[in-house]
Amino acid sequence: MQLGLALPHYPFSFPTPQPSIARRAIEYATLAEDAGFHQVWVSDHFWVDVAATGQPERRQEPAECWTLLAAIAATTTRIRIGSLATPIGFRNPNLLARMVTTVNELAAGRLDVAVGAGWNESEHRANGLDFPPAGQRLASLAGTVRFLQRRVPDVPVWVAGKRPKLLEVAAIADGWNTAWDSTIAEYRRRDATLRQACQRHGRDPVAVQRSLGLTTLIGRDNDDLERRWRMLQRWAPGNALADVSLQSWAQSRLVGTPAEVAQQLRRWDEAGVEQVICSFGAPFAVHDNQQLELAVDTMAILSSQRGP
């Protein structure tokens, strides 16, 4: 079991507002490397819209995915990096392959590329990009996966998503990711669908790597966890957690003390997940810097419990 970090790179992503999103994101990549995280992942969007209940949406524009990955590749030495996930409609396959090749060269072979069919129609249309029906997008996704595997065979190509027809495409990829909340039962059902798709494609299901993104909250003890939950509620973009209980929120996320989270990670490991990608508070965010320290404590517990 490895731990990854969904890198903060949106205006809302940090404990306090930052004047330079990209520079701060690079600092967090370095922190993650020093802390012993296996990988950092960067989302690929023009923007996301965040709104409190009954309030107008506020557009949040992130640091651009592939530019940021290039910078991280050049400023880190050990940690793996990856996109999560690049919509195939954002760039033509030839351009994407050239970008992947360049970033992988800068990273000395530490790159993974996760691609998806794209889901935000307004984001595509507003930027002059086509948004064909789902069946066409899935066919294009499969074609892009095969194209990248031919053009950049030394870079693992992942597919991100959870719908059954998308899992059919994941069966031809090097890896599959789903995020940002899941119970083990839900994950096992999707994994069974993927295994069936692998069999139809004549592939051994274990040839497809598995990663899982989970929104994460860690506290030193139960009282500290409750305190940090209240901090997270105050921080959450759009007041999204104002009327949510910690107990209900925790059911499909990674939540607890370091020992409890380590136990949860062992269960995910038993379910076949090779890397859990932590996102502290919200997707691609670190709402509390001490969460990284608590994750280090969790990794130490996991390491101490491994057999010889």
Side-chain angles (χ1 to χ4, degrees):
M1 168 62 67
Q2 305 282 359
L3 277 193
L5 173 67
L7 196 71
H9 64 113
Y10 287 81
F12 67 79
S13 291
F14 307 97
T16 57
Q18 300 294 323
S20 174
I21 299 170
R23 288 184 181 276
R24 194 68 177 124
I26 293 168
E27 291 174 8
Y28 273 93
T30 302
L31 287 172
E33 179 171 71
D34 293 342
F37 280 85
H38 176 70
Q39 191 157 13
V40 291
W41 298 85
V42 177
S43 75
D44 196 350
H45 282 288
F46 290 97
W47 62 70
V48 296
D49 291 322
V50 177
T53 303
Q55 298 296 316
E57 291 183 333
R58 295 181 59 188
R59 181 152 292 177
Q60 301 271 336
E61 296 183 352
E64 195 278 323
C65 175
W66 284 93
T67 309
L68 181 57
L69 284 171
I72 295 168
T75 53
T76 57
T77 59
R78 179 199 59 80
I79 198 164
R80 292 194 67 81
I81 63 177
S83 66
L84 191 66
T86 287
I88 46 94
F90 279 10
R91 303 164 187 87
N92 73 62
N94 280 299
L95 174 60
L96 180 58
R98 293 300 306 143
M99 295 166 70
V100 169
T101 299
T102 300
V103 173
N104 191 51
E105 181 181 340
L106 289 170
R110 293 180 286 126
L111 176 67
D112 294 77
V113 54
V115 290
W119 57 269
N120 191 330
E121 181 174 1
S122 63
E123 186 182 20
H124 284 72
R125 301 288 188 200
N127 288 285
L129 301 171
D130 292 335
F131 192 78
Q136 292 182 35
R137 299 201 312 278
L138 288 169
S140 296
L141 177 62
T144 298
V145 169
R146 292 189 177 98
F147 179 80
L148 290 173
Q149 288 172 329
R150 291 194 305 270
R151 287 288 302 273
V152 285
D154 55 337
V155 177
V157 179
W158 295 62
V159 165
K162 60 185 67 172
R163 296 183 181 276
K165 291 183 178 179
L166 189 139
L167 292 173
E168 194 74 30
V169 182
I172 68 170
D174 301 300
W176 166 57
N177 170 269
T178 183
W180 288 102
D181 57 84
S182 178
T183 64
I184 288 182
E186 289 169 342
Y187 178 83
R188 288 189 183 277
R189 286 194 294 270
R190 292 171 183 140
D191 185 67
T193 301
L194 174 62
R195 289 176 177 273
Q196 293 166 3
C198 286
Q199 292 172 359
R200 285 191 291 273
H201 287 278
R203 294 193 73 196
D204 186 342
V206 301
V208 181
Q209 300 177 68
R210 268 71 158 187
S211 72
L212 171 69
L214 288 174
T215 316
T216 304
L217 179 67
I218 309 174
R220 297 195 183 280
D221 53 36
N222 289 333
D223 289 342
D224 186 52
L225 185 65
E226 288 285 350
R227 182 181 67 84
R228 292 180 191 277
W229 168 247
R230 292 190 293 272
M231 288 173 53
L232 174 56
Q233 285 180 306
R234 293 191 294 270
W235 172 90
N239 247 352
L241 300 178
D243 299 319
V244 180
S245 72
L246 175 57
Q247 183 178 10
S248 64
W249 190 79
Q251 290 177 0
S252 58
R253 294 171 177 86
L254 196 63
V255 176
T257 65
E260 290 168 342
V261 170
Q263 185 177 25
Q264 294 167 36
L265 290 170
R266 287 195 299 273
R267 291 199 293 267
W268 284 114
D269 183 48
E270 292 167 359
V273 176
E274 296 162 82
Q275 181 183 164
V276 168
I277 303 168
C278 297
S279 197
F280 294 105
F284 299 98
V286 175
H287 78 284
D288 166 14
N289 286 338
Q290 289 185 342
Q291 292 293 296
L292 296 175
E293 300 171 18
L294 292 164
V296 171
D297 295 343
T298 302
M299 287 189 278
I301 293 172
L302 269 179
S303 179
S304 69
Q305 294 171 342
R306 290 184 181 129

